[in-house]
Amino acid sequence: MFEVKKVIGSLLMPLPITLLLVALCLLFIARINVKSYLVSWLLVVSLWAISTPFFADVLITPSEKRLAPFLTNKHQNVDYVVVLGCGVRPASRLPANLQLSGCALSRLTEGLRLLHAYPNAQLIVSGAGHGKATSSAMMANTAVALGIPVHKIIQNSKARDTAEEALLLATRLVDSKVALVTSASHMTRAQDLFSAQGVDTIAAPVQFYSYGNAQGFRRFIASASVLNAVTTYAHELIGRQWIALRRMIDPQAL
């Protein structure tokens, strides 16, 4: 009964229920244009498929398995802990931590863990935003609220994307031991861009999706959160292809 309740509850979420209703409507549409009818069905079925934990597991898990969490017992010292930006939702009535996206909070939490493990290291928080409400400022304020001294925090508030983060931080980080904190899906591209600026980094990935742990029928039920994960992964694939294209045109680019 518990499993049945979970399956029914999952089916009633916005994405799966919408797709089911669209499919139901298609059953009553006159099939005058057979090609359009078949394409509509194909699109509905495809959107359902790519939104399932089963598809996400096949797509994402292989790349995640190539990454491991940062183990402090394997690295004697770190000079800088760099936390890359990941979105901010400005709302002046809220404290800084509530203005950060879940992704940014996940990255910052890992950054603070490493900072406690390496008390001589400095924390670099990065990312632009909207006016004074930058991702770097919100992360810095959150870190201070959690007990990190202001003098141990460096803000990189002008960087609008990962390429600019690497470019603007390069002169400071070259020849230093750097722990790079970002999402697992983003780590390959981020390290590539920092390496292109002459900065060697140690991966400290967060936000592992681990869809291989999904069980039973829920592996085949569409979910908005899974679709978001697949979208994030697709964004990274496009980003890497864009970098490759830029470098093909101009070897000095990015």
Side-chain angles (χ1 to χ4, degrees):
M1 180 58 71
F2 178 80
E3 188 67 24
V4 172
K5 180 184 72 172
K6 288 295 185 181
V7 170
I8 293 175
S10 298
L11 288 172
L12 293 177
M13 291 297 101
L15 178 63
I17 193 65
T18 299
L19 291 176
L20 288 172
L21 290 174
V22 170
L24 182 63
C25 290
L26 285 173
L27 293 176
F28 296 97
I29 293 177
R31 306 176 191 179
I32 297 175
N33 191 325
V34 177
K35 289 184 179 179
S36 296
Y37 185 76
L38 292 176
V39 169
S40 297
W41 267 104
L42 179 62
L43 292 173
V44 170
V45 172
S46 297
L47 181 56
W48 182 287
I50 66 174
S51 302
T52 62
F54 174 81
F55 180 86
D57 179 31
V58 173
L59 182 70
I60 298 173
T61 299
S63 63
E64 284 194 342
K65 285 184 175 179
R66 292 195 289 268
L67 293 170
F70 189 103
L71 299 177
T72 55
N73 59 359
K74 288 190 175 182
H75 303 281
Q76 186 173 1
N77 69 286
V78 165
D79 299 313
Y80 294 98
V81 176
V82 179
V83 180
L84 300 186
C86 192
V88 61
R89 298 186 289 265
S92 57
R93 65 186 181 86
L94 299 176
N97 59 297
L98 297 183
Q99 296 184 56
L100 291 171
S101 66
C103 172
L105 282 172
S106 178
R107 295 180 185 185
L108 181 60
T109 300
E110 176 68 0
L112 297 184
R113 180 183 78 89
L114 297 183
L115 200 65
H116 283 296
Y118 302 102
N120 293 324
Q122 283 191 289
L123 175 68
I124 298 180
V125 287
S126 190
H130 307 277
K132 294 182 179 180
T134 63
S135 178
S136 57
M138 292 302 106
M139 285 195 287
N141 291 341
T142 300
V144 170
L146 294 174
I148 304 301
V150 175
H151 70 269
K152 291 183 67 67
I153 304 173
I154 299 169
Q155 293 187 42
N156 182 34
S157 59
K158 295 183 179 180
R160 296 168 297 178
D161 57 20
T162 312
E164 290 188 0
E165 287 176 318
L167 178 64
L168 294 173
L169 292 173
T171 53
R172 180 185 294 272
L173 300 180
V174 168
D175 297 328
S176 298
K177 196 161 186 179
V178 180
L180 183 64
V181 183
T182 189
S183 304
S185 60
H186 182 232
M187 184 59 72
T188 298
R189 184 160 64 99
Q191 285 195 296
D192 178 30
L193 289 169
F194 273 83
S195 179
Q197 297 297 332
V199 180
D200 293 325
T201 59
I202 307 169
V206 297
Q207 285 194 302
F208 289 88
Y209 292 111
S210 303
Y211 284 117
N213 295 326
Q215 298 178 347
F217 290 106
R218 280 177 284 182
R219 284 176 57 81
F220 304 99
I221 295 178
S223 165
S225 63
V226 175
L227 180 58
N228 182 61
V230 172
T231 301
T232 298
Y233 186 84
H235 172 79
E236 290 303 321
L237 286 178
I238 294 171
R240 291 200 289 269
Q241 293 305 311
W242 171 247
I243 291 172
L245 178 61
R246 287 283 304 276
R247 288 173 177 169
M248 187 182 301
I249 297 172
D250 178 8
Q252 302 302 317
L254 303 177

